[in-house]
Each structure stands twice: as C-alpha cells, then as structure tokens.
Amino acid sequence: MSSQVRLRLLPSARCLFDEPIQVKVEGLRSRQVVTMRTRLTDEKGVVFSSSATYRADGSGEVDLKRDPSLGGTYIGVEPMGLLWSMRPDTMHKRFQKTRSLEPQVVKFSVHEEEGRRLAEETNERLLMANGFNRVLVKEGNISGVLFTPPDGPFPAVFDISTLRSELRASLLANKGFVVLTVTVPTDKAGKIQEMHLDMFEEAMDFLKQQPKVGGKGIGIISRSKGADIALSLAAFVPGVDAVAWVNGCNANVGTPLYYKKQQILSPLLFDLSKCIPNESGAVIAKHALDDPRAEKNKGSLIPIEQATSHFLFAAGEDDLNWDSKAYMDQMVERLKCHGKENFESVSYPGAGHLLEPPYGPFCSSCLHVESKGLSILWGGEPKIHAAAEVHLWNKIQKFFKTHLICDKPQTKPSYKFKKKKKKDDYKAGVKEK
C-alpha cells in the first residue's frame, strides 16, 4: 500500500447500519484513475462485493459525495453506491443479518488501475448503539427478540417479519421505540394448515406490558405475508394505533386465519404454475396469487374499514413477487368507500419487493422458503430501489412518531454516534397521497 494515499470514512469508520458515511480518498496523483472496492461476508458465509472507477480531481482527491463513478457496479454520483450495489458471489443469495449484537464489517479499499492496493479502511456498521438491550423472548406461544432503548418510556412497535432478520427491528429501536420482532411461521413441509391470530395478539400483549413502554396502543411494521397479518390485527384486535404495511396483500394469504377458535378469514391461494421463469433461473411470482376481488375470494379480504388505527401503505411498483401496488390501490379505494381518512399511501416506481432499511446490498433474487424450492425474482432497479429505501425508512419513523403517543414524559435514547440530519434522497417518481 502507498503511505501517501489515505482512505477516509467520515464522520467515523464506526456507525449505525442505516447511517450514511462520506467516503474520501486523499494523496492521489492529479487526475489519477483508481478503482474503489468494498467487500463483506454475511452470517451465512456469502461474500458480497462492489467496485467503481473514479478519476481524482486536480488536488489528487476523490469524494464520493461529489464525484461520479465512471463504471463498475454503479455509475454516477452515488455517495453510498459502494454499499447498496454489492453483489453476492453466488446467485440467488440475499444479505442476512440475524445477530444484531455484532456489527457488520465492510472492507473499503482503493486500487490503481493495475490492481495494486493503495489504501484500505474497515467500516463497522452497528445495529445497536451503546446502552440498548436485546433479549430473546420465549414465553407461551411467543418466540422472538425484544429491543429496548436506554431511559424511556418509549412507544412500542411490533415487527412481524417473514424473512428471519433482526436488522429492521434493532435499527428501529435505535430511533426511540421498544420493538418486539417475531417471524411468521413458515410452511416448508406443508404442515401448517391454519394460522391463529391469537399468537400474535399474545405477543402484542407481552410487548405492551414491558416497563419501558409508554402508551396503551402499539404500532406494527410488516412486509409480504406479515403485512396481511398486521391488517388482520388492526381489524380484529383492539390496541393497534398505527400500521406500516409494505408490499403486502389486502387479503389473507395462504392458510385460513383463526381468532378465538373460529375461522375469520378464508385463504387466498397460490397457483405456482403461473410463475414465469427468467434466464437467471429465478421466477416471477407476481401473478401466482388468485385475484382477491373474485367472488370466490371475498371471504379472504381483510375488513380494514373496521380498524381504528392509522395506516401507512407503501408499495414498490416493480414488485415482481406480488402485485403490491394493485393491492394498495384496492385498500385505498375500500377505505374511501367507507368514508375513512385514516391512511396515507406512497408508491415507488422502479422499486421492488424487498424494501429494507437502507444501505444493505440490493437483492435481486433468492430462495423462498414456501415456494417449493424456487428462487424468486424480487424486482427493482438497484439505484432507484436503494433511494426508495432511504425515503421509506425516514417516512416510517415519522409515521410512528406521529401516531404512537406516550402517556408518560419521554426521554431521548442515548447515542454514542453523532446524529446527522438526513436529506430526502428519493426525488423522482415517488407518489404520495
């Protein structure tokens, strides 16, 4: 490595996972062309990497906030492009982060055109700041993880996840919420014949009883199958004040839904023969679900007009897993027909199904546990999808802070890391109502 070249990650090489950093290189020759690279290994041993070519300015500096990538895994001015454009070394893999106590280590490096490494730096992206607690919960029918900020009290958010991960829940706790995350039971072997809303109500009650929770109501955040469970909780179970629904359905998907030993919703079924294969070997499942508006499926539609909660509906218009934008539009129409105004909606042209907290590697396809061994194409153009994640993540936080009220004086959670006001990075195409 060159002793004159310095790679800097600002304001610190140690930050929260969803916080942006400024990447700068100093000490290059005037107008020198270099390649920037990143590399990480996730918990399953999958390696993700990215690269981009830059030309230094007259002072021998490269600043990713200012300078465009000339080629690589992305092009143009993309300050966080080296992170979201990382690709797996094996097809149909997604970045997995289930151990929130350990930071995700990302190696940044800068290389000459010939490949010689000039400088490197390690970025530790943490899921939890100092003072935050993570507790495994196994009580009754509950199996999940509870995240609690220091001080308090705080509003409570119930995170219903379909892909096992602690990323969203732990990062949301850092914003000033007590968060319980549970994973929807998967039906790998076809053994789950019915879903019971009672088990999710039990988790909600457990969350409400936590000593640092202020207020009687809770919020729910969910995506995909978890999103229709969230809608059902809002419609049938008291105490839900706010629901953030992301790329889900307006009907009960997959299995009959029971509450207090009675079936309340019939299932909206899949037809896997309607999946469309693409050249990568993954399939487009967007039209595999039956039409929830068909007469035979009306018993699966969730009566969201019964809910007293506020709704945030968010859909990626390039979702290739479900027709989420259409389902969102149907819910908006249904609520309007019932004279309801307790909702807001946002859609993202060019964004796919897996809308996550920002700055993780974009996932184009991966194995779906309930698709009988098929890899699913999730949709989304990486650059646009990454910008949508930034916009939606900020919007979700604002939504919960607006509609979840503490009945006790609040304190702000203590952070080790300097907070920076985020700009709204998603500009073109976002549609809000």
Side-chain angles (χ1 to χ4, degrees), residues 85-117:
S85 73
M86 285 191 285
R87 300 170 179 172
D89 61 357
T90 305
M91 288 183 66
H92 310 315
K93 297 292 183 181
R94 70 178 179 93
F95 169 71
Q96 296 197 50
K97 186 62 180 167
T98 59
R99 296 193 291 269
S100 55
L101 294 176
E102 302 173 6
Q104 179 57 61
V105 175
V106 184
K107 297 287 188 180
F108 284 75
S109 58
V110 57
H111 301 255
E112 289 182 317
E113 287 186 279
E114 297 78 13
R116 184 172 73 95
R117 187 172 62 200

mmCIF file of all heavy atoms in Angstrom, residues 85-117:
data_model
loop_
_atom_site.group_PDB
_atom_site.id
_atom_site.type_symbol
_atom_site.label_atom_id
_atom_site.label_comp_id
_atom_site.label_asym_id
_atom_site.label_seq_id
_atom_site.Cartn_x
_atom_site.Cartn_y
_atom_site.Cartn_z
ATOM 1 N N SER A 85 -24.748 -1.378 -3.955
ATOM 2 C CA SER A 85 -24.502 -2.107 -5.202
ATOM 3 C C SER A 85 -23.711 -3.393 -5.006
ATOM 4 O O SER A 85 -23.370 -4.063 -5.989
ATOM 5 C CB SER A 85 -23.779 -1.205 -6.212
ATOM 6 O OG SER A 85 -22.421 -1.003 -5.853
ATOM 7 N N MET A 86 -23.406 -3.752 -3.767
ATOM 8 C CA MET A 86 -22.681 -5.010 -3.536
ATOM 9 C C MET A 86 -23.500 -6.208 -4.032
ATOM 10 O O MET A 86 -24.716 -6.268 -3.830
ATOM 11 C CB MET A 86 -22.351 -5.176 -2.047
ATOM 12 C CG MET A 86 -21.219 -4.295 -1.590
ATOM 13 S SD MET A 86 -20.615 -4.701 0.074
ATOM 14 C CE MET A 86 -21.925 -4.010 1.063
ATOM 15 N N ARG A 87 -22.806 -7.137 -4.661
ATOM 16 C CA ARG A 87 -23.458 -8.317 -5.231
ATOM 17 C C ARG A 87 -22.890 -9.580 -4.605
ATOM 18 O O ARG A 87 -21.705 -9.642 -4.273
ATOM 19 C CB ARG A 87 -23.240 -8.353 -6.746
ATOM 20 C CG ARG A 87 -23.795 -7.138 -7.476
ATOM 21 C CD ARG A 87 -23.351 -7.105 -8.931
ATOM 22 N NE ARG A 87 -23.890 -5.957 -9.637
ATOM 23 C CZ ARG A 87 -23.542 -5.604 -10.871
ATOM 24 N NH1 ARG A 87 -22.614 -6.321 -11.523
ATOM 25 N NH2 ARG A 87 -24.080 -4.552 -11.464
ATOM 26 N N PRO A 88 -23.723 -10.622 -4.471
ATOM 27 C CA PRO A 88 -23.231 -11.867 -3.875
ATOM 28 C C PRO A 88 -22.337 -12.631 -4.837
ATOM 29 O O PRO A 88 -22.475 -12.523 -6.064
ATOM 30 C CB PRO A 88 -24.517 -12.650 -3.586
ATOM 31 C CG PRO A 88 -25.494 -12.146 -4.602
ATOM 32 C CD PRO A 88 -25.160 -10.692 -4.813
ATOM 33 N N ASP A 89 -21.408 -13.420 -4.282
ATOM 34 C CA ASP A 89 -20.536 -14.229 -5.134
ATOM 35 C C ASP A 89 -21.235 -15.477 -5.648
ATOM 36 O O ASP A 89 -20.706 -16.194 -6.484
ATOM 37 C CB ASP A 89 -19.246 -14.603 -4.389
ATOM 38 C CG ASP A 89 -19.505 -15.431 -3.137
ATOM 39 O OD1 ASP A 89 -20.685 -15.676 -2.789
ATOM 40 O OD2 ASP A 89 -18.520 -15.831 -2.479
ATOM 41 N N THR A 90 -22.449 -15.739 -5.142
ATOM 42 C CA THR A 90 -23.260 -16.873 -5.581
ATOM 43 C C THR A 90 -24.645 -16.359 -5.950
ATOM 44 O O THR A 90 -25.209 -15.533 -5.241
ATOM 45 C CB THR A 90 -23.400 -17.924 -4.465
ATOM 46 O OG1 THR A 90 -22.099 -18.301 -4.022
ATOM 47 C CG2 THR A 90 -24.149 -19.150 -4.948
ATOM 48 N N MET A 91 -25.199 -16.837 -7.038
ATOM 49 C CA MET A 91 -26.504 -16.356 -7.483
ATOM 50 C C MET A 91 -27.604 -16.708 -6.479
ATOM 51 O O MET A 91 -27.517 -17.695 -5.742
ATOM 52 C CB MET A 91 -26.859 -16.960 -8.849
ATOM 53 C CG MET A 91 -26.048 -16.410 -10.010
ATOM 54 S SD MET A 91 -26.585 -17.100 -11.598
ATOM 55 C CE MET A 91 -28.237 -16.404 -11.711
ATOM 56 N N HIS A 92 -28.647 -15.890 -6.474
ATOM 57 C CA HIS A 92 -29.862 -16.121 -5.701
ATOM 58 C C HIS A 92 -29.594 -16.157 -4.187
ATOM 59 O O HIS A 92 -30.117 -17.004 -3.463
ATOM 60 C CB HIS A 92 -30.567 -17.414 -6.140
ATOM 61 C CG HIS A 92 -30.777 -17.518 -7.614
ATOM 62 N ND1 HIS A 92 -31.247 -16.466 -8.375
ATOM 63 C CD2 HIS A 92 -30.569 -18.551 -8.479
ATOM 64 C CE1 HIS A 92 -31.326 -16.845 -9.653
ATOM 65 N NE2 HIS A 92 -30.916 -18.091 -9.737
ATOM 66 N N LYS A 93 -28.750 -15.253 -3.737
ATOM 67 C CA LYS A 93 -28.479 -15.131 -2.302
ATOM 68 C C LYS A 93 -28.844 -13.723 -1.851
ATOM 69 O O LYS A 93 -28.658 -12.752 -2.580
ATOM 70 C CB LYS A 93 -26.997 -15.397 -1.996
ATOM 71 C CG LYS A 93 -26.523 -16.801 -2.323
ATOM 72 C CD LYS A 93 -27.163 -17.823 -1.393
ATOM 73 C CE LYS A 93 -26.624 -19.219 -1.675
ATOM 74 N NZ LYS A 93 -27.242 -20.239 -0.797
ATOM 75 N N ARG A 94 -29.354 -13.617 -0.625
ATOM 76 C CA ARG A 94 -29.626 -12.303 -0.049
ATOM 77 C C ARG A 94 -28.744 -12.098 1.172
ATOM 78 O O ARG A 94 -28.348 -13.056 1.843
ATOM 79 C CB ARG A 94 -31.101 -12.166 0.351
ATOM 80 C CG ARG A 94 -31.525 -13.010 1.545
ATOM 81 C CD ARG A 94 -32.984 -12.770 1.907
ATOM 82 N NE ARG A 94 -33.377 -13.603 3.038
ATOM 83 C CZ ARG A 94 -33.322 -13.212 4.317
ATOM 84 N NH1 ARG A 94 -32.901 -11.995 4.609
ATOM 85 N NH2 ARG A 94 -33.680 -14.025 5.288
ATOM 86 N N PHE A 95 -28.438 -10.860 1.434
ATOM 87 C CA PHE A 95 -27.667 -10.500 2.613
ATOM 88 C C PHE A 95 -28.469 -10.842 3.862
ATOM 89 O O PHE A 95 -29.635 -10.470 3.989
ATOM 90 C CB PHE A 95 -27.346 -9.006 2.573
ATOM 91 C CG PHE A 95 -26.784 -8.458 3.856
ATOM 92 C CD1 PHE A 95 -25.501 -8.786 4.262
ATOM 93 C CD2 PHE A 95 -27.543 -7.622 4.655
ATOM 94 C CE1 PHE A 95 -24.978 -8.274 5.444
ATOM 95 C CE2 PHE A 95 -27.033 -7.101 5.828
ATOM 96 C CZ PHE A 95 -25.746 -7.427 6.235
ATOM 97 N N GLN A 96 -27.839 -11.578 4.797
ATOM 98 C CA GLN A 96 -28.535 -11.992 6.019
ATOM 99 C C GLN A 96 -27.808 -11.453 7.242
ATOM 100 O O GLN A 96 -26.596 -11.605 7.379
ATOM 101 C CB GLN A 96 -28.647 -13.511 6.089
ATOM 102 C CG GLN A 96 -29.499 -14.084 4.957
ATOM 103 C CD GLN A 96 -29.949 -15.504 5.231
ATOM 104 O OE1 GLN A 96 -30.471 -15.802 6.295
ATOM 105 N NE2 GLN A 96 -29.734 -16.386 4.272
ATOM 106 N N LYS A 97 -28.607 -10.841 8.120
ATOM 107 C CA LYS A 97 -28.072 -10.292 9.358
ATOM 108 C C LYS A 97 -29.064 -10.593 10.477
ATOM 109 O O LYS A 97 -30.051 -9.894 10.667
ATOM 110 C CB LYS A 97 -27.851 -8.783 9.220
ATOM 111 C CG LYS A 97 -27.149 -8.150 10.423
ATOM 112 C CD LYS A 97 -25.756 -8.703 10.629
ATOM 113 C CE LYS A 97 -25.055 -8.073 11.815
ATOM 114 N NZ LYS A 97 -23.839 -8.782 12.221
ATOM 115 N N THR A 98 -28.805 -11.691 11.191
ATOM 116 C CA THR A 98 -29.698 -12.105 12.271
ATOM 117 C C THR A 98 -29.107 -11.869 13.651
ATOM 118 O O THR A 98 -29.821 -11.937 14.641
ATOM 119 C CB THR A 98 -30.038 -13.610 12.136
ATOM 120 O OG1 THR A 98 -28.828 -14.371 12.192
ATOM 121 C CG2 THR A 98 -30.733 -13.896 10.820
ATOM 122 N N ARG A 99 -27.804 -11.585 13.724
ATOM 123 C CA ARG A 99 -27.157 -11.378 15.022
ATOM 124 C C ARG A 99 -26.871 -9.884 15.190
ATOM 125 O O ARG A 99 -25.840 -9.371 14.746
ATOM 126 C CB ARG A 99 -25.881 -12.207 15.116
ATOM 127 C CG ARG A 99 -26.143 -13.715 15.055
ATOM 128 C CD ARG A 99 -24.907 -14.506 15.459
ATOM 129 N NE ARG A 99 -23.836 -14.393 14.483
ATOM 130 C CZ ARG A 99 -23.662 -15.217 13.453
ATOM 131 N NH1 ARG A 99 -24.510 -16.204 13.263
ATOM 132 N NH2 ARG A 99 -22.643 -15.060 12.623
ATOM 133 N N SER A 100 -27.802 -9.219 15.847
ATOM 134 C CA SER A 100 -27.719 -7.759 15.934
ATOM 135 C C SER A 100 -26.669 -7.268 16.908
ATOM 136 O O SER A 100 -26.301 -6.090 16.891
ATOM 137 C CB SER A 100 -29.083 -7.188 16.332
ATOM 138 O OG SER A 100 -29.540 -7.780 17.525
ATOM 139 N N LEU A 101 -26.146 -8.134 17.763
ATOM 140 C CA LEU A 101 -25.125 -7.715 18.720
ATOM 141 C C LEU A 101 -23.771 -7.510 18.050
ATOM 142 O O LEU A 101 -22.885 -6.861 18.613
ATOM 143 C CB LEU A 101 -24.995 -8.739 19.850
ATOM 144 C CG LEU A 101 -26.208 -8.892 20.776
ATOM 145 C CD1 LEU A 101 -25.961 -10.003 21.788
ATOM 146 C CD2 LEU A 101 -26.505 -7.583 21.497
ATOM 147 N N GLU A 102 -23.600 -8.068 16.864
ATOM 148 C CA GLU A 102 -22.323 -7.974 16.159
ATOM 149 C C GLU A 102 -22.441 -7.005 14.986
ATOM 150 O O GLU A 102 -23.388 -7.078 14.204
ATOM 151 C CB GLU A 102 -21.902 -9.352 15.638
ATOM 152 C CG GLU A 102 -21.768 -10.398 16.737
ATOM 153 C CD GLU A 102 -21.525 -11.782 16.180
ATOM 154 O OE1 GLU A 102 -21.353 -11.897 14.945
ATOM 155 O OE2 GLU A 102 -21.527 -12.742 16.967
ATOM 156 N N PRO A 103 -21.508 -6.074 14.848
ATOM 157 C CA PRO A 103 -21.562 -5.150 13.712
ATOM 158 C C PRO A 103 -21.287 -5.880 12.403
ATOM 159 O O PRO A 103 -20.654 -6.940 12.384
ATOM 160 C CB PRO A 103 -20.460 -4.142 14.023
ATOM 161 C CG PRO A 103 -19.486 -4.890 14.872
ATOM 162 C CD PRO A 103 -20.317 -5.831 15.698
ATOM 163 N N GLN A 104 -21.781 -5.315 11.328
ATOM 164 C CA GLN A 104 -21.432 -5.826 10.009
ATOM 165 C C GLN A 104 -20.152 -5.127 9.555
ATOM 166 O O GLN A 104 -20.100 -3.902 9.452
ATOM 167 C CB GLN A 104 -22.538 -5.572 8.997
ATOM 168 C CG GLN A 104 -22.217 -6.058 7.603
ATOM 169 C CD GLN A 104 -21.899 -7.549 7.580
ATOM 170 O OE1 GLN A 104 -22.746 -8.367 7.934
ATOM 171 N NE2 GLN A 104 -20.691 -7.914 7.161
ATOM 172 N N VAL A 105 -19.115 -5.910 9.309
ATOM 173 C CA VAL A 105 -17.823 -5.365 8.912
ATOM 174 C C VAL A 105 -17.753 -5.273 7.388
ATOM 175 O O VAL A 105 -18.001 -6.258 6.679
ATOM 176 C CB VAL A 105 -16.672 -6.241 9.448
ATOM 177 C CG1 VAL A 105 -15.328 -5.735 8.937
ATOM 178 C CG2 VAL A 105 -16.689 -6.255 10.976
ATOM 179 N N VAL A 106 -17.435 -4.072 6.892
ATOM 180 C CA VAL A 106 -17.297 -3.847 5.453
ATOM 181 C C VAL A 106 -15.887 -3.329 5.188
ATOM 182 O O VAL A 106 -15.442 -2.361 5.809
ATOM 183 C CB VAL A 106 -18.335 -2.827 4.938
ATOM 184 C CG1 VAL A 106 -18.216 -2.691 3.421
ATOM 185 C CG2 VAL A 106 -19.745 -3.233 5.325
ATOM 186 N N LYS A 107 -15.169 -3.985 4.289
ATOM 187 C CA LYS A 107 -13.811 -3.567 3.918
ATOM 188 C C LYS A 107 -13.876 -2.647 2.701
ATOM 189 O O LYS A 107 -14.371 -3.036 1.634
ATOM 190 C CB LYS A 107 -12.957 -4.791 3.585
ATOM 191 C CG LYS A 107 -12.747 -5.748 4.746
ATOM 192 C CD LYS A 107 -11.786 -5.185 5.777
ATOM 193 C CE LYS A 107 -11.433 -6.228 6.824
ATOM 194 N NZ LYS A 107 -10.496 -5.679 7.835
ATOM 195 N N PHE A 108 -13.392 -1.421 2.860
ATOM 196 C CA PHE A 108 -13.244 -0.474 1.754
ATOM 197 C C PHE A 108 -11.790 -0.454 1.317
ATOM 198 O O PHE A 108 -10.882 -0.484 2.164
ATOM 199 C CB PHE A 108 -13.639 0.943 2.188
ATOM 200 C CG PHE A 108 -15.119 1.182 2.300
ATOM 201 C CD1 PHE A 108 -15.841 0.683 3.374
ATOM 202 C CD2 PHE A 108 -15.796 1.907 1.334
ATOM 203 C CE1 PHE A 108 -17.196 0.907 3.500
ATOM 204 C CE2 PHE A 108 -17.159 2.144 1.439
ATOM 205 C CZ PHE A 108 -17.859 1.640 2.516
ATOM 206 N N SER A 109 -11.553 -0.365 0.019
ATOM 207 C CA SER A 109 -10.166 -0.272 -0.464
ATOM 208 C C SER A 109 -10.124 0.527 -1.751
ATOM 209 O O SER A 109 -11.123 0.651 -2.470
ATOM 210 C CB SER A 109 -9.559 -1.664 -0.678
ATOM 211 O OG SER A 109 -10.323 -2.420 -1.589
ATOM 212 N N VAL A 110 -8.947 1.094 -2.040
ATOM 213 C CA VAL A 110 -8.738 1.848 -3.268
ATOM 214 C C VAL A 110 -7.532 1.258 -3.982
ATOM 215 O O VAL A 110 -6.518 0.926 -3.351
ATOM 216 C CB VAL A 110 -8.548 3.357 -2.974
ATOM 217 C CG1 VAL A 110 -7.403 3.609 -2.016
ATOM 218 C CG2 VAL A 110 -8.335 4.151 -4.252
ATOM 219 N N HIS A 111 -7.632 1.105 -5.325
ATOM 220 C CA HIS A 111 -6.617 0.394 -6.099
ATOM 221 C C HIS A 111 -6.210 1.195 -7.332
ATOM 222 O O HIS A 111 -7.022 1.918 -7.925
ATOM 223 C CB HIS A 111 -7.159 -0.972 -6.558
ATOM 224 C CG HIS A 111 -7.588 -1.859 -5.430
ATOM 225 N ND1 HIS A 111 -6.849 -2.939 -5.013
ATOM 226 C CD2 HIS A 111 -8.679 -1.810 -4.627
ATOM 227 C CE1 HIS A 111 -7.479 -3.527 -4.004
ATOM 228 N NE2 HIS A 111 -8.592 -2.864 -3.749
ATOM 229 N N GLU A 112 -4.952 1.030 -7.728
ATOM 230 C CA GLU A 112 -4.500 1.558 -9.012
ATOM 231 C C GLU A 112 -5.168 0.787 -10.139
ATOM 232 O O GLU A 112 -5.723 -0.304 -9.929
ATOM 233 C CB GLU A 112 -2.979 1.415 -9.135
ATOM 234 C CG GLU A 112 -2.188 2.351 -8.241
ATOM 235 C CD GLU A 112 -0.698 2.196 -8.456
ATOM 236 O OE1 GLU A 112 -0.231 1.046 -8.555
ATOM 237 O OE2 GLU A 112 -0.019 3.226 -8.532
ATOM 238 N N GLU A 113 -5.096 1.335 -11.337
ATOM 239 C CA GLU A 113 -5.681 0.650 -12.495
ATOM 240 C C GLU A 113 -5.074 -0.731 -12.683
ATOM 241 O O GLU A 113 -5.743 -1.661 -13.154
ATOM 242 C CB GLU A 113 -5.463 1.494 -13.755
ATOM 243 C CG GLU A 113 -6.340 2.731 -13.835
ATOM 244 C CD GLU A 113 -6.203 3.449 -15.158
ATOM 245 O OE1 GLU A 113 -5.239 4.213 -15.317
ATOM 246 O OE2 GLU A 113 -7.061 3.226 -16.042
ATOM 247 N N GLU A 114 -3.814 -0.888 -12.330
ATOM 248 C CA GLU A 114 -3.153 -2.187 -12.471
ATOM 249 C C GLU A 114 -3.587 -3.165 -11.371
ATOM 250 O O GLU A 114 -3.243 -4.353 -11.414
ATOM 251 C CB GLU A 114 -1.635 -2.010 -12.401
ATOM 252 C CG GLU A 114 -1.053 -1.166 -13.527
ATOM 253 C CD GLU A 114 -1.257 0.329 -13.310
ATOM 254 O OE1 GLU A 114 -1.632 0.724 -12.187
ATOM 255 O OE2 GLU A 114 -1.068 1.097 -14.272
ATOM 256 N N GLY A 115 -4.308 -2.685 -10.375
ATOM 257 C CA GLY A 115 -4.827 -3.569 -9.336
ATOM 258 C C GLY A 115 -4.139 -3.441 -8.000
ATOM 259 O O GLY A 115 -4.630 -3.959 -6.989
ATOM 260 N N ARG A 116 -2.978 -2.777 -7.931
ATOM 261 C CA ARG A 116 -2.261 -2.665 -6.659
ATOM 262 C C ARG A 116 -3.080 -1.850 -5.660
ATOM 263 O O ARG A 116 -3.576 -0.784 -5.981
ATOM 264 C CB ARG A 116 -0.888 -2.009 -6.866
ATOM 265 C CG ARG A 116 -0.036 -1.942 -5.593
ATOM 266 C CD ARG A 116 1.379 -1.470 -5.906
ATOM 267 N NE ARG A 116 1.430 -0.060 -6.218
ATOM 268 C CZ ARG A 116 1.712 0.896 -5.317
ATOM 269 N NH1 ARG A 116 1.983 0.563 -4.053
ATOM 270 N NH2 ARG A 116 1.760 2.167 -5.679
ATOM 271 N N ARG A 117 -3.199 -2.383 -4.455
ATOM 272 C CA ARG A 117 -3.974 -1.708 -3.417
ATOM 273 C C ARG A 117 -3.177 -0.539 -2.864
ATOM 274 O O ARG A 117 -2.025 -0.684 -2.453
ATOM 275 C CB ARG A 117 -4.332 -2.683 -2.298
ATOM 276 C CG ARG A 117 -5.291 -2.101 -1.265
ATOM 277 C CD ARG A 117 -5.745 -3.166 -0.312
ATOM 278 N NE ARG A 117 -4.601 -3.721 0.429
ATOM 279 C CZ ARG A 117 -4.615 -4.902 1.045
ATOM 280 N NH1 ARG A 117 -5.680 -5.672 0.974
ATOM 281 N NH2 ARG A 117 -3.549 -5.317 1.702
#
